[in-house]
Amino acid sequence: MPALTPENCLNATRQWVEDFVVAHNVCPFAGREVARNSIEYRQLDGNDLEGALLGLVEVCRYLDETPEVETALLVMPNGLDDFDDYLDALALGEALLIDQGYEGIYQLASFHPDYVFEGSVSDGTDEDDPANYTNRAPWPTWHVIREAGLERALVHYTNPEQIPERNMQRMRELGTEQLAQQLAGLRQLAAAGQQPN
């Protein structure tokens, strides 16, 4: 089987954004950015945490210099498979953004194949709850969001506080089996060196 190349991994991530995030309206603002081609996709090595953190700072600088790019997805197909390790790395990334003066400018949203919400979220979820798929992606992923852009988008959206609850309900309607198959299919296509549809 061919190696998982950055190109295959990033193509599968683009497909996940289009066929999952946009198709299920998980993020009501993502469709516009897909249409505008304003999402930066980069691969980082989760086995090299220092390098991944440097990559995070580099993409923030790139966004500083490239206002036409709204957001970035930093995908880590290697390393950080363990969700707790991923959360530790995410905390380091968030602290680094503050240290680099990016607090209030960029924020990180997080996605992981084994994402599980803490029990305090909404009515509480467990590992098998389909609602976890609102934050599950084919690989560990950091989503770098421009806070100013998010604030502009939220002004035009009625009841944005209802987005997470609506997403959880939608995931429960779809069910774990369908959602798991969709993620696994993207990973398998990428690993086989095939282009997603």
Side-chain angles (χ1 to χ4, degrees):
M1 182 176 285
L4 180 63
T5 67
E7 180 183 10
N8 292 342
C9 171
L10 296 181
N11 283 339
T13 300
R14 286 185 189 92
Q15 196 71 28
W16 167 73
V17 170
E18 293 174 18
D19 290 354
F20 178 77
V21 177
V22 174
H24 297 308
N25 202 28
V26 173
C27 173
F29 321 118
R32 176 177 183 266
E33 305 313 326
V34 168
R36 293 174 62 227
N37 196 29
S38 62
I39 304 173
E40 175 76 4
Y41 293 87
R42 295 191 184 184
Q43 181 172 319
L44 303 177
D45 184 355
N47 288 316
D48 175 12
L49 190 51
E50 184 177 339
L53 292 168
L54 286 172
L56 172 60
V57 173
E58 285 173 8
V59 86
C60 289
R61 291 178 180 154
Y62 171 79
L63 292 172
D64 288 344
E65 298 164 0
T66 319
E68 63 272 18
V69 175
E70 181 61 32
T71 191
L73 288 171
L74 307 178
V75 185
M76 293 169 274
N78 303 307
L80 300 181
D81 294 331
D82 180 84
F83 184 52
D84 289 330
D85 291 345
Y86 169 81
L87 290 177
D88 291 343
L90 176 69
L92 291 173
E94 291 172 334
L96 182 61
L97 290 185
I98 294 169
D99 183 65
Q100 294 294 308
Y102 284 120
E103 186 174 18
I105 299 171
Y106 301 114
Q107 64 176 262
L108 289 181
S110 63
F111 299 90
H112 190 278
D114 298 322
Y115 196 98
V116 178
F117 283 108
E118 291 184 32
S120 61
V121 174
S122 181
D123 57 349
T125 60
D126 62 36
E127 193 173 317
D128 299 323
D129 191 331
N132 292 308
Y133 279 85
T134 64
N135 286 67
R136 288 191 180 176
W139 297 279
T141 302
W142 291 338
H143 180 195
V144 184
I145 301 170
R146 291 183 188 271
E147 292 208 9
L150 181 60
E151 288 168 8
R152 281 194 305 272
L154 289 172
V155 166
H156 304 289
Y157 193 87
T158 306
N159 301 322
E161 68 280 357
Q162 294 177 2
I163 293 171
E165 192 63 43
R166 187 206 66 212
N167 285 341
M168 289 182 169
Q169 182 59 39
R170 177 68 178 138
M171 296 304 102
R172 289 171 179 147
E173 289 168 3
L174 291 168
T176 299
E177 184 176 353
Q178 178 181 337
L179 294 165
Q181 286 176 353
Q182 190 171 10
L183 278 189
L186 288 169
R187 290 173 65 115
Q188 289 165 2
L189 282 176
Q194 299 175 19
Q195 292 291 327
N197 295 329

